[in-house]
Amino acid sequence: MTGLDPALKRLSAAGIAASVNAGRTSAVAIAEDTLARAAAYDAVQPQIWISRAPREDLLAAARAIDARVAAGETLPLAGVPFAVKDNIDVAGFETTAACPAFAYRPEGSAGVIERLLAAGALCIGKTNLDQFATGLNGSRSPYGIPRNASNLAYVSGGSSSGSSVAVAAGVVAFALGTDTAGSGRVPAAFNHLIGFKPTKGRWSTRGLVPACRTLDCITVFTDDTADARLVDQVVAGFDPADPYSKPLADISRGQTRIGVPRRSQRNWFGDPESEYLYDRALENLAARAELVEIDYAPLQEAAQLLYGGPWVAERTAAMADILASDPDAIDPVVRSVVEPGAAVSAVDLFGGIYRLAEIKRHADELWKTIDIMAFPTTGATYRVSEMLAAPVALNSNLGAYTNFVNLLDMAALAVPAGIRANGTGFGITLIGPADSDRALLEAADAYLGAANLPSPPPLDLEGKMQTVKLAVVGAHLKDMPLHWQLTSREATFVGAFDTAPSYRLYAMAESVPPKPALVHSEDGAPIKVEVYEMGVAEFGSFVVDVPAPLAIGTVTLADGTSVKGFVSEPRALTGAEDITSLGGWRAYIARGA
């Protein structure tokens, strides 16, 4: 046992600050509670951290905050515990970028850290990441693999992996990440969080280990939009010491025209649950705004420039010293991604700059026809084992809807949009032009206020059993001849459902015992099924026993969700009787009786 409540309430930055400022609690008490939470979650995932503040140092910082409050100061983040991705400098901590050979001790803190500490926040420690912020999955670190807080078999998302899990697990109220290609958004989606990626230059990047210096943004993970707004109020602003900082601006954007990718351009990478949840999110948005399908192809072309074009050379430039001096210290997958950048020529780079300018002009024109975009944050998620087996291809899939944003100077806000059956989160990202940050937060408030989303699932503390839901339609129904094949595998009954009205049911000829064939058809009808859940291994052994011409495929239920289920080869219909009008196999058996 971990000693950690799987239903642990996440922390509220605004709530903590209000309580400390009002004297209802103290920063010291908050620090003590945070240390206890961190110690408890260490029994589950100690690898979310690279380093943590010593207990006495943290308590001393908390006492200093209490003294400031007692002296009459009102601090916007009084006593609020936060974590920092370990490619951002914090005085007193090493900065490693998840590469021990690269580690250094900075002379001072990054610009955003200075502002957070001045506002009364408490830095708990530095979090794990995909090495040199190169990855969107969280598996590329010598310090271990942070895993999804709700299902430890799945990736947490990256590169800001540890930061997202620290918030999702209720250890800290907020955590800083970074975002070049989606690293502040993908982990938010998978862990049921808000992921705020501000406009480039809105937050100082002084003290950030660069990935692509011209594109990098520091981001924040929070449990709600109020805390994202609060952190933005503290850290946003011009920093003359950062050459990429710019004066603060906020433009107003409507929410009446929302751009979405054309249906034909939406890629779900074999994940029907993501498609279903995105459609539900669009239904919610359509209730108060006009959805405008846009041509995603130019944006997708911009995205390809990041890793498939000359911008990879910017990552190579950021890592040039260690690539030259100690290449074996670099994660092999990270090295395989950045090494090709050394071969990019100035001619290639200028060609990419010219093409990006053309696409940027297209995007600027697009903002005349829509107010914001609402894209899937990702089209799929993956198990850690799957990611390790195909680390480049699957990682690329995770960036399909994120990579273009920074290249085209857009602001983005990832918000939850549902829970997959495996407990991992699905999210959408609201995207706007530069300086639309506040407008995106307002749009998120409207969406989340109407979406009626379920609360995040309990934390996975010991590793969930991986299960599969299976729809049965005939001889495997309860009290039917083959039901024992389910009970012997300890399958649990989920419920009785109707399929979508796109199936026909046939009684196969000369089948012993009698069995039906379920066939997808445009002129079909709802068919009654029972859904059971069993372990992945048990499901595999069940599939082995399924005889031809039956097979296991994907069946869509009446509510639009998909489960595994019995389908049929064409030869199953030879001599078969169409019994669709009966609505299910039980009615057919009862008719025969």
Side-chain angles (χ1 to χ4, degrees):
M1 297 298 292
T2 67
L4 188 69
D5 182 356
L8 182 68
K9 184 174 177 59
R10 293 178 181 174
L11 300 173
S12 163
I16 290 171
S19 293
V20 172
N21 281 315
R24 293 191 296 270
T25 188
S26 68
V28 168
I30 297 298
E32 293 276 14
D33 176 68
T34 302
L35 286 166
R37 289 171 179 249
Y41 199 67
D42 280 350
V44 183
Q45 294 205 74
Q47 71 273 21
I48 70 172
W49 302 98
I50 290 179
S51 59
R52 283 226 294 273
R55 177 184 182 86
E56 286 309 313
D57 290 357
L58 188 65
L59 293 177
R63 285 192 288 270
I65 292 166
D66 286 334
R68 291 172 64 189
V69 171
E73 286 190 69
T74 298
L75 303 174
L77 292 173
V80 176
F82 73 104
V84 181
K85 186 176 180 179
D86 198 19
N87 60 344
I88 302 170
D89 289 346
V90 180
F93 293 86
E94 275 194 336
T95 301
T96 72
C99 181
F102 173 81
Y104 64 91
R105 189 166 288 273
E107 294 182 0
S109 292
V112 293
I113 301 299
E114 292 173 348
R115 295 188 182 197
L116 291 171
L117 297 178
L122 280 168
C123 180
I124 303 305
K126 306 292 290 297
T127 54
N128 204 351
L129 65 150
D130 281 314
Q131 193 178 74
F132 292 108
T134 301
L136 289 172
N137 63 85
S139 71
R140 303 171 179 177
S141 171
Y143 295 96
I145 300 174
R147 294 165 177 264
N148 190 287
S150 300
N151 190 326
L152 296 174
Y154 282 79
V155 297
S156 61
S159 59
S160 309
S161 51
S163 287
S164 64
V165 177
V167 178
V171 178
V172 295
F174 70 89
L176 298 187
T178 64
D179 191 305
T180 304
S183 295
R185 292 165 275 155
V186 173
F190 291 166
N191 289 285
H192 313 279
L193 299 172
I194 301 295
F196 177 45
K197 188 215 79 71
T199 298
K200 288 187 299 181
R202 182 179 179 89
W203 293 12
S204 172
T205 54
R206 173 171 54 87
L208 168 65
V209 176
C212 293
R213 191 180 295 273
T214 61
L215 304 178
D216 295 335
C217 298
I218 293 177
T219 69
V220 69
F221 297 102
T222 64
D223 188 47
D224 57 35
T225 54
D227 282 356
R229 188 178 280 107
L230 176 58
V231 172
D232 179 66
Q233 288 170 349
V234 170
V235 303
F238 181 67
D239 179 0
D242 173 12
Y244 291 97
S245 182
K246 67 177 191 179
L248 197 60
D250 283 295
I251 62 172
S252 177
R253 300 292 293 179
Q255 302 174 29
T256 58
R257 301 169 302 170
I258 300 177
V260 300
R262 294 173 181 169
R263 184 168 288 277
S264 62
Q265 294 177 324
R266 300 172 195 170
N267 191 341
W268 303 109
F269 306 101
D271 184 354
E273 276 192 283
S274 290
E275 180 178 18
Y276 168 77
L277 291 169
Y278 184 59
D279 284 343
R280 299 292 81 75
L282 294 189
E283 287 177 4
N284 178 281
L285 292 169
R288 63 179 188 282
E290 176 190 1
L291 300 187
V292 180
E293 289 198 346
I294 62 174
D295 183 5
Y296 175 47
L299 306 182
Q300 195 170 33
E301 182 184 348
Q304 293 301 315
L305 292 171
L306 192 61
Y307 286 109
W311 268 266
V312 71
E314 192 168 17
R315 287 188 183 271
T316 313
M319 296 171 57
D321 289 345
I322 195 166
L323 278 168
S325 65
D326 195 359
D328 291 339
I330 302 172
D331 178 272
V333 177
V334 172
R335 192 168 69 243
S336 73
V337 170
V338 300
E339 278 184 333
V344 174
S345 71
V347 173
D348 296 331
L349 177 58
F350 279 106
I353 291 172
Y354 301 153
R355 180 55 186 149
L356 183 62
E358 293 170 352
I359 299 173
K360 178 68 163 59
R361 180 59 55 85
H362 168 83
D364 291 343
E365 290 297 313
L366 198 59
W367 294 125
K368 297 178 181 179
T369 63
I370 58 175
D371 299 305
I372 62 174
M373 300 179 196
F375 276 35
T377 303
T378 70
T381 189
Y382 299 106
R383 294 180 179 87
V384 171
S385 58
E386 294 169 326
M387 184 61 63
L388 294 176
V392 175
L394 299 190
N395 187 84
S396 295
N397 292 350
L398 297 184
Y401 299 109
T402 62
N403 286 356
F404 68 89
V405 170
N406 294 26
L407 281 161
L408 296 175
D409 196 16
M410 297 175 180
L413 184 69
V415 298
I419 303 171
R420 294 183 180 85
N422 59 30
T424 65
F426 174 81
I428 62 171
T429 298
L430 305 178
I431 303 167
D435 302 317
S436 63
D437 307 75
R438 290 284 164 169
L440 293 180
L441 285 163
E442 292 172 3
D445 287 340
Y447 165 72
L448 293 170
N452 194 30
L453 296 173
S455 298
L459 298 176
D460 182 3
L461 301 183
E462 297 176 339
K464 292 180 178 178
M465 176 182 175
Q466 299 304 296
T467 61
V468 178
K469 289 187 174 69
L470 173 72
V472 298
V473 69
H476 290 88
L477 296 168
K478 188 176 186 301
D479 299 324
M480 294 290 173
L482 298 181
H483 186 68
W484 65 269
Q485 292 184 343
L486 296 176
T487 57
S488 66
R489 290 170 171 87
E490 298 183 350
T492 58
F493 178 65
V494 175
F497 300 89
D498 286 345
T499 69
S502 53
Y503 293 93
R504 300 197 72 81
L505 191 66
Y506 296 83
M508 293 194 297
E510 301 179 1
S511 177
V512 180
K515 292 187 284 291
L518 185 71
V519 178
H520 188 271
S521 174
E522 295 301 325
D523 63 344
I527 303 298
K528 295 189 179 302
V529 296
E530 291 175 358
V531 175
Y532 292 82
E533 188 168 14
M534 68 181 83
V536 169
E538 289 74 17
F539 173 74
S541 70
F542 180 87
V543 171
V544 169
D545 289 341
V546 174
L550 298 178
I552 299 296
T554 299
V555 173
T556 304
L557 302 180
D559 65 359
T561 59
S562 297
V563 295
K564 293 303 170 187
F566 279 88
V567 295
S568 307
E569 300 175 18
R571 58 180 167 142
L573 303 189
T574 302
E577 178 188 356
D578 188 337
I579 60 171
T580 305
S581 61
L582 297 177
W585 186 246
R586 289 190 188 279
Y588 170 74
I589 295 297
R591 187 192 70 176

